[in-house]
Amino acid sequence: MTPQGSPLFSRPSPRERRLLTDALRTETVGGMVLLVAAVVALLWANTPLSGVYEAVRSFHFGIPQLGLDLSVEHWASDGILTIFFFVAGIELKRELTVGELRKPAAAALPMVAAVCGMAVPALFYVAVNSAGGGQMDGWAVPMATDIAFALGVLAVIGTNLPSGIRAFLLTLAIVDDLGAILVIAVFYTSTLNWVAFGGAVAGLVLFRILHVNLRVRAWYVYVPLALVIWGLTYNSGVHATVAGVAMGLILRVAPDNPDDPDSSSPAERVEHRVRPLSAGFAVPVFALFAAGVAVSGSALAETFRQPEALGVMLGLFVGKFVGVFGGTYLAARFTRARLSSDLSWPDIAGVAMLAGIGFTVSLLVTELAFTDATVTEHTKAAVLIGSLVAAVLACVLLKARDAKYRALCEEETRDEDADGVADIDQDPDPVTRPTEAARRSAAERSGGGDAPPERP
């Protein structure tokens, strides 16, 4: 770390930017599909076809002999959503071993911001329900940030964000996912079947031996093994999505050839194939069967009166903002970190508000936290309302600065010599890299002008 400190939200390395761009491109498309699925669910559940929606959602099928006779809703949340958590596990492993989180100085900011962004919403929920006599089981509902939903919102309004902010937002969501995984595994596992749990652990050990030690690459070996691990995890009492995270954390993330900057790792190749399935299918299907809640006038009025729902709403669009913005400020105030020269604190405020969009994991935790159907439905409505308010406020804050973001994005991607490498990566020093004004000045001098070049 330099004496001046590490800049907050600084531009990632070229390799990190390529991985970030690929990930966010898929998540953005998936986020738009997720938005459509959520709207379809709401319309379906609030029309004369609501009976059909409930019948489909509660329809059971599976293999009862294996303890897998589940409703369509539970297949979506306990089964299909495991794909999403598998990708989250890969992202977390990559960030912790070869990404930005492997460096303590770089990891400090998103870690502090994420922890504060999880703790403060939970405290908001606890405070509201302590005063209102509500159930405390839902304290974890407003903790998580839904990166796909957030990027889908940004895509709809056409807001550009520079890579530094996008990297921070993605890292924040990854740490949030880790927190949610730990919360689900520790606090929402009521009983434990030790035989099934031991079988799942043995399956994970075999998975690691095949992948890390023997370097087996055949997908037809891993898919059946993954299904067995998932089934054993489900029957153990631990939420089945934890199996996806565990398998994602096992994958090797180091490049096959470290000396080749273009060399990829097994985890990157698997993530490249599975992420579209997660963003474009798993998460939207979960949303389709989880987001269908009644939005009548009386139901909405009850949502605003119920302490559980009110605590979730305030936790999402107030607690998240206070936690993420406050955590970032504290990191800058009490460490040597400093804000990137390209950005200012209103930019951080927009990102902090965007973090209040909690959808996928929040809906999942809602289903795990409450057994009363009425409380569950009202809390789901609160998740939708809180996320909507956070999204609208974030859009207002970020859209107001979109012209500045567009200029930063253009600077990051400019390739005037058409060599396939961005000019900013060939001369990354902001002191020596010429700005657009300097380039115009140089062109004028070559044509007879004598104006001196500008420095950034």
Coordinates of all heavy atoms in Angstrom, one line a residue, residues 117-185:
G117 N -23.2 -4.0 5.7 CA -24.5 -4.1 4.9 C -25.3 -5.3 5.3 O -26.5 -5.3 4.9
M118 N -24.8 -6.2 6.0 CA -25.6 -7.4 6.5 C -26.0 -7.1 7.9 O -27.2 -7.4 8.3 CB -24.8 -8.7 6.4 CG -24.5 -9.2 5.0 SD -23.7 -10.8 5.0 CE -22.0 -10.3 5.4
A119 N -25.2 -6.5 8.7 CA -25.5 -6.4 10.2 C -26.5 -5.3 10.4 O -27.5 -5.5 11.2 CB -24.2 -6.0 10.9
V120 N -26.4 -4.2 9.7 CA -27.3 -3.0 10.0 C -28.7 -3.4 9.6 O -29.7 -3.1 10.4 CB -26.8 -1.8 9.3 CG1 -27.8 -0.6 9.4 CG2 -25.4 -1.3 9.8
P121 N -29.0 -4.0 8.4 CA -30.4 -4.4 8.1 C -31.0 -5.3 9.1 O -32.2 -5.3 9.5 CB -30.3 -5.0 6.7 CG -29.1 -4.4 6.1 CD -28.1 -4.2 7.2
A122 N -30.1 -6.3 9.6 CA -30.6 -7.2 10.6 C -31.0 -6.5 11.9 O -32.0 -6.8 12.5 CB -29.5 -8.3 10.9
L123 N -30.2 -5.5 12.2 CA -30.5 -4.7 13.4 C -31.8 -3.9 13.3 O -32.5 -3.7 14.2 CB -29.3 -3.8 13.7 CG -28.0 -4.4 14.2 CD1 -26.9 -3.4 14.4 CD2 -28.2 -5.2 15.5
F124 N -32.0 -3.4 12.1 CA -33.2 -2.6 11.8 C -34.4 -3.6 12.0 O -35.4 -3.2 12.6 CB -33.2 -2.1 10.4 CG -32.8 -0.7 10.2 CD1 -31.4 -0.4 10.2 CD2 -33.7 0.3 10.1 CE1 -31.0 0.9 10.1 CE2 -33.3 1.6 9.9 CZ -31.9 1.9 9.9
Y125 N -34.3 -4.8 11.5 CA -35.4 -5.8 11.6 C -35.6 -6.1 13.1 O -36.8 -6.1 13.6 CB -35.0 -7.1 10.9 CG -36.1 -8.1 11.0 CD1 -37.1 -8.2 10.0 CD2 -36.1 -9.0 12.1 CE1 -38.1 -9.2 10.2 CE2 -37.1 -10.0 12.2 CZ -38.1 -10.1 11.2 OH -39.1 -11.0 11.4
V126 N -34.5 -6.4 13.9 CA -34.7 -6.7 15.3 C -35.3 -5.5 16.0 O -36.2 -5.7 16.9 CB -33.3 -7.1 15.8 CG1 -33.3 -7.2 17.4 CG2 -32.8 -8.4 15.2
A127 N -34.9 -4.3 15.7 CA -35.4 -3.1 16.5 C -36.9 -3.0 16.2 O -37.7 -2.8 17.2 CB -34.7 -1.9 16.0
V128 N -37.3 -3.1 15.0 CA -38.8 -3.0 14.6 C -39.6 -4.1 15.3 O -40.7 -3.8 15.8 CB -39.0 -3.0 13.1 CG1 -40.4 -3.0 12.7 CG2 -38.3 -1.7 12.5
N129 N -39.1 -5.3 15.2 CA -39.9 -6.4 15.8 C -39.8 -6.5 17.3 O -40.7 -7.0 17.9 CB -39.4 -7.7 15.2 CG -39.9 -7.9 13.8 OD1 -41.0 -8.5 13.5 ND2 -39.2 -7.4 12.8
S130 N -38.8 -5.9 17.9 CA -38.7 -5.8 19.4 C -39.8 -4.9 19.8 O -40.5 -5.1 20.8 CB -37.4 -5.4 19.8 OG -36.4 -6.3 19.5
A131 N -39.9 -3.7 19.1 CA -40.9 -2.7 19.5 C -42.3 -3.2 19.2 O -43.3 -2.9 19.9 CB -40.6 -1.4 18.8
G132 N -42.5 -4.0 18.1 CA -43.8 -4.3 17.6 C -44.3 -5.7 18.0 O -45.4 -6.1 17.7
G133 N -43.4 -6.5 18.7 CA -43.8 -7.8 19.2 C -43.8 -8.8 18.1 O -44.6 -9.8 18.1
G134 N -43.0 -8.6 17.0 CA -43.0 -9.6 15.9 C -42.1 -10.7 16.1 O -41.4 -10.8 17.2
Q135 N -42.0 -11.6 15.1 CA -41.2 -12.8 15.2 C -39.7 -12.4 14.8 O -39.5 -11.8 13.8 CB -41.7 -13.9 14.3 CG -43.1 -14.4 14.5 CD -43.5 -15.5 13.6 OE1 -42.8 -16.4 13.3 NE2 -44.8 -15.4 13.1
M136 N -38.8 -12.9 15.6 CA -37.4 -12.6 15.4 C -36.7 -13.5 14.3 O -35.6 -13.2 13.9 CB -36.6 -12.7 16.7 CG -37.0 -11.6 17.7 SD -36.6 -10.0 17.1 CE -37.2 -9.0 18.5
D137 N -37.4 -14.6 13.9 CA -36.8 -15.5 13.0 C -36.4 -14.9 11.6 O -35.6 -15.5 10.9 CB -37.8 -16.7 12.8 CG -38.0 -17.5 14.0 OD1 -37.1 -17.4 14.9 OD2 -38.9 -18.3 14.1
G138 N -37.0 -13.8 11.3 CA -36.8 -13.3 9.9 C -35.6 -12.2 9.9 O -35.5 -11.5 8.9
W139 N -34.8 -12.2 10.9 CA -33.8 -11.2 11.0 C -32.8 -11.2 9.8 O -32.2 -10.2 9.4 CB -33.0 -11.3 12.3 CG -32.3 -12.6 12.5 CD1 -32.8 -13.8 13.0 CD2 -31.0 -13.0 12.0 NE1 -31.9 -14.8 13.0 CE2 -30.8 -14.3 12.4 CE3 -29.9 -12.3 11.4 CZ2 -29.6 -15.0 12.1 CZ3 -28.7 -13.0 11.1 CH2 -28.6 -14.3 11.5
A140 N -32.6 -12.4 9.2 CA -31.7 -12.5 8.1 C -32.3 -12.2 6.7 O -31.6 -12.2 5.7 CB -31.1 -13.9 8.0
V141 N -33.6 -12.0 6.6 CA -34.2 -11.7 5.3 C -33.7 -10.5 4.6 O -33.4 -10.6 3.4 CB -35.8 -11.6 5.5 CG1 -36.4 -11.2 4.2 CG2 -36.4 -12.9 6.1
P142 N -33.5 -9.4 5.2 CA -33.0 -8.2 4.5 C -31.5 -8.1 4.3 O -31.0 -7.0 4.0 CB -33.5 -7.0 5.3 CG -33.5 -7.5 6.7 CD -33.8 -9.0 6.6
M143 N -30.8 -9.2 4.6 CA -29.3 -9.1 4.6 C -28.6 -9.1 3.2 O -27.6 -8.5 3.0 CB -28.7 -10.3 5.4 CG -28.9 -10.1 6.9 SD -28.3 -11.6 7.8 CE -26.6 -11.7 7.3
A144 N -29.2 -9.8 2.2 CA -28.5 -10.2 1.0 C -28.8 -9.2 -0.1 O -29.9 -8.6 -0.2 CB -28.8 -11.6 0.5
T145 N -27.8 -9.0 -1.0 CA -28.0 -8.2 -2.2 C -28.1 -9.1 -3.4 O -27.4 -10.0 -3.6 CB -26.7 -7.3 -2.4 OG1 -26.7 -6.3 -1.4 CG2 -26.8 -6.5 -3.8
D146 N -29.1 -8.8 -4.3 CA -29.3 -9.6 -5.5 C -28.7 -8.9 -6.7 O -29.2 -8.0 -7.2 CB -30.8 -9.8 -5.7 CG -31.1 -10.9 -6.7 OD1 -30.5 -10.9 -7.8 OD2 -32.0 -11.7 -6.5
I147 N -27.5 -9.4 -7.0 CA -26.7 -8.8 -8.1 C -27.4 -8.9 -9.4 O -27.4 -7.9 -10.2 CB -25.3 -9.4 -8.2 CG1 -24.4 -8.7 -9.2 CG2 -25.4 -10.9 -8.5 CD1 -24.1 -7.3 -8.9
A148 N -28.1 -10.0 -9.7 CA -28.8 -10.1 -11.0 C -29.9 -9.1 -11.1 O -30.1 -8.5 -12.2 CB -29.3 -11.6 -11.2
F149 N -30.7 -9.0 -10.1 CA -31.8 -8.0 -10.1 C -31.3 -6.6 -10.2 O -31.8 -5.8 -11.0 CB -32.6 -8.2 -8.8 CG -34.1 -7.8 -8.9 CD1 -35.1 -8.7 -8.6 CD2 -34.4 -6.5 -9.4 CE1 -36.4 -8.3 -8.7 CE2 -35.8 -6.2 -9.5 CZ -36.8 -7.1 -9.2
A150 N -30.2 -6.3 -9.5 CA -29.6 -4.9 -9.6 C -29.2 -4.6 -11.0 O -29.4 -3.5 -11.5 CB -28.5 -4.8 -8.6
L151 N -28.5 -5.6 -11.6 CA -28.0 -5.3 -13.0 C -29.1 -5.3 -14.0 O -29.0 -4.6 -15.0 CB -26.9 -6.4 -13.3 CG -25.6 -6.4 -12.5 CD1 -24.8 -7.6 -12.9 CD2 -24.9 -5.1 -12.8
G152 N -30.1 -6.1 -13.7 CA -31.3 -6.0 -14.6 C -31.9 -4.6 -14.6 O -32.3 -4.1 -15.6
V153 N -32.0 -4.1 -13.4 CA -32.6 -2.7 -13.2 C -31.7 -1.7 -14.0 O -32.2 -0.8 -14.7 CB -32.7 -2.3 -11.7 CG1 -33.0 -0.9 -11.6 CG2 -33.8 -3.2 -11.1
L154 N -30.4 -1.8 -13.8 CA -29.5 -0.9 -14.5 C -29.6 -1.0 -16.0 O -29.5 0.0 -16.7 CB -28.0 -1.2 -14.1 CG -27.7 -0.9 -12.6 CD1 -26.2 -1.2 -12.4 CD2 -27.9 0.6 -12.3
A155 N -29.8 -2.3 -16.5 CA -29.9 -2.5 -17.9 C -31.2 -1.8 -18.5 O -31.2 -1.3 -19.6 CB -29.9 -4.0 -18.3
V156 N -32.3 -1.9 -17.7 CA -33.5 -1.3 -18.1 C -33.4 0.2 -18.2 O -33.9 0.8 -19.2 CB -34.6 -1.7 -17.1 CG1 -35.9 -0.9 -17.4 CG2 -34.9 -3.2 -17.3
I157 N -32.8 0.8 -17.3 CA -32.7 2.3 -17.3 C -31.5 2.8 -18.2 O -31.4 4.0 -18.4 CB -32.6 2.9 -15.9 CG1 -31.3 2.5 -15.2 CG2 -33.8 2.5 -15.1 CD1 -31.1 3.3 -14.0
G158 N -30.7 1.9 -18.6 CA -29.5 2.3 -19.4 C -28.4 3.0 -18.7 O -27.8 3.9 -19.3
T159 N -28.2 2.6 -17.5 CA -27.1 3.3 -16.7 C -25.8 2.6 -16.9 O -25.7 1.3 -16.8 CB -27.5 3.4 -15.2 OG1 -28.6 4.1 -15.1 CG2 -26.4 4.0 -14.4
N160 N -24.7 3.3 -17.2 CA -23.4 2.7 -17.3 C -22.7 2.9 -16.0 O -22.7 4.0 -15.4 CB -22.6 3.4 -18.4 CG -23.2 3.3 -19.7 OD1 -23.2 2.3 -20.4 ND2 -23.9 4.4 -20.2
L161 N -22.0 1.9 -15.5 CA -21.1 2.0 -14.4 C -19.7 1.6 -14.7 O -19.5 0.6 -15.4 CB -21.6 1.1 -13.2 CG -22.9 1.4 -12.5 CD1 -23.2 0.4 -11.4 CD2 -22.8 2.8 -11.9
P162 N -18.7 2.4 -14.3 CA -17.3 2.1 -14.6 C -17.0 0.8 -13.9 O -17.6 0.3 -12.9 CB -16.5 3.2 -14.0 CG -17.4 3.9 -13.1 CD -18.8 3.7 -13.6
S163 N -15.9 0.1 -14.4 CA -15.6 -1.2 -13.9 C -15.2 -1.3 -12.4 O -15.5 -2.3 -11.8 CB -14.4 -1.8 -14.7 OG -13.2 -1.0 -14.6
G164 N -14.7 -0.2 -11.9 CA -14.3 -0.2 -10.5 C -15.6 -0.4 -9.6 O -15.6 -1.2 -8.6
I165 N -16.6 0.4 -9.9 CA -17.9 0.3 -9.2 C -18.5 -1.1 -9.4 O -19.0 -1.7 -8.4 CB -18.8 1.4 -9.5 CG1 -18.2 2.8 -9.1 CG2 -20.2 1.2 -8.9 CD1 -19.1 3.9 -9.4
R166 N -18.5 -1.6 -10.6 CA -19.1 -2.9 -10.9 C -18.4 -4.0 -10.2 O -19.0 -4.9 -9.6 CB -19.1 -3.1 -12.4 CG -20.1 -2.3 -13.2 CD -20.1 -2.5 -14.7 NE -21.1 -1.8 -15.4 CZ -22.3 -2.3 -15.8 NH1 -22.5 -3.6 -15.5 NH2 -23.2 -1.6 -16.4
A167 N -17.1 -3.9 -10.1 CA -16.3 -4.9 -9.4 C -16.6 -4.9 -7.9 O -16.8 -5.9 -7.3 CB -14.8 -4.7 -9.6
F168 N -16.7 -3.7 -7.4 CA -17.1 -3.6 -6.0 C -18.5 -4.1 -5.7 O -18.7 -4.9 -4.7 CB -17.1 -2.1 -5.5 CG -17.6 -1.9 -4.1 CD1 -16.8 -2.1 -3.0 CD2 -18.9 -1.4 -3.9 CE1 -17.3 -1.9 -1.7 CE2 -19.4 -1.2 -2.6 CZ -18.6 -1.5 -1.5
L169 N -19.5 -3.8 -6.6 CA -20.8 -4.3 -6.4 C -20.9 -5.8 -6.5 O -21.5 -6.5 -5.7 CB -21.7 -3.7 -7.5 CG -23.2 -4.0 -7.4 CD1 -23.8 -3.6 -6.1 CD2 -24.0 -3.4 -8.6
L170 N -20.1 -6.4 -7.4 CA -20.1 -7.9 -7.6 C -19.4 -8.5 -6.4 O -19.9 -9.5 -5.8 CB -19.4 -8.3 -8.9 CG -19.3 -9.8 -9.1 CD1 -20.7 -10.4 -9.3 CD2 -18.5 -10.0 -10.4
T171 N -18.3 -7.9 -5.9 CA -17.6 -8.5 -4.7 C -18.5 -8.4 -3.5 O -18.6 -9.3 -2.7 CB -16.3 -7.7 -4.5 OG1 -15.5 -7.8 -5.7 CG2 -15.5 -8.3 -3.4
L172 N -19.2 -7.2 -3.4 CA -20.1 -7.1 -2.2 C -21.2 -8.1 -2.2 O -21.5 -8.7 -1.2 CB -20.8 -5.7 -2.3 CG -21.7 -5.3 -1.2 CD1 -21.0 -5.0 0.1 CD2 -22.6 -4.1 -1.6
A173 N -21.7 -8.4 -3.4 CA -22.8 -9.5 -3.5 C -22.2 -10.8 -3.2 O -22.9 -11.7 -2.6 CB -23.4 -9.4 -5.0
I174 N -21.0 -11.1 -3.6 CA -20.3 -12.4 -3.3 C -20.2 -12.6 -1.8 O -20.5 -13.6 -1.3 CB -19.0 -12.5 -4.0 CG1 -19.2 -12.6 -5.5 CG2 -18.2 -13.7 -3.5 CD1 -17.9 -12.5 -6.3
V175 N -19.7 -11.5 -1.1 CA -19.5 -11.6 0.3 C -20.9 -11.8 1.0 O -21.1 -12.5 2.0 CB -18.8 -10.4 0.9 CG1 -18.6 -10.5 2.4 CG2 -17.4 -10.3 0.2
D176 N -21.9 -11.0 0.5 CA -23.3 -11.2 0.9 C -23.8 -12.6 0.8 O -24.4 -13.1 1.7 CB -24.2 -10.2 0.1 CG -24.5 -8.9 0.9 OD1 -23.8 -8.7 1.9 OD2 -25.3 -8.2 0.4
D177 N -23.5 -13.2 -0.3 CA -23.9 -14.6 -0.6 C -23.2 -15.5 0.5 O -23.9 -16.5 1.0 CB -23.5 -15.1 -2.0 CG -24.4 -14.4 -3.0 OD1 -25.5 -14.0 -2.7 OD2 -24.0 -14.4 -4.2
L178 N -21.9 -15.3 0.7 CA -21.2 -16.1 1.7 C -21.9 -16.0 3.1 O -22.2 -17.0 3.8 CB -19.8 -15.7 1.8 CG -19.0 -16.3 3.0 CD1 -18.9 -17.8 2.8 CD2 -17.6 -15.7 3.0
G179 N -22.3 -14.7 3.5 CA -23.0 -14.5 4.7 C -24.3 -15.2 4.8 O -24.7 -15.9 5.7
A180 N -25.0 -15.2 3.6 CA -26.3 -15.8 3.6 C -26.2 -17.3 3.7 O -27.0 -18.0 4.3 CB -27.1 -15.5 2.3
I181 N -25.2 -17.9 3.0 CA -24.9 -19.3 3.1 C -24.6 -19.8 4.5 O -25.2 -20.8 5.0 CB -23.7 -19.7 2.1 CG1 -24.1 -19.5 0.7 CG2 -23.3 -21.1 2.4 CD1 -22.9 -19.3 -0.2
L182 N -23.8 -19.0 5.2 CA -23.5 -19.4 6.6 C -24.7 -19.3 7.5 O -25.0 -20.1 8.3 CB -22.4 -18.5 7.1 CG -21.0 -18.6 6.4 CD1 -20.0 -17.6 7.0 CD2 -20.4 -20.0 6.7
V183 N -25.5 -18.2 7.2 CA -26.7 -18.1 8.0 C -27.7 -19.2 7.8 O -28.3 -19.8 8.7 CB -27.4 -16.7 7.7 CG1 -28.8 -16.7 8.2 CG2 -26.6 -15.6 8.2
I184 N -27.9 -19.6 6.5 CA -28.8 -20.7 6.2 C -28.3 -22.0 6.8 O -29.1 -22.8 7.4 CB -28.9 -20.8 4.7 CG1 -29.7 -19.6 4.1 CG2 -29.6 -22.1 4.3 CD1 -29.7 -19.6 2.6
A185 N -27.0 -22.2 6.7 CA -26.5 -23.5 7.2 C -26.5 -23.6 8.7 O -26.8 -24.7 9.3 CB -25.0 -23.7 6.7

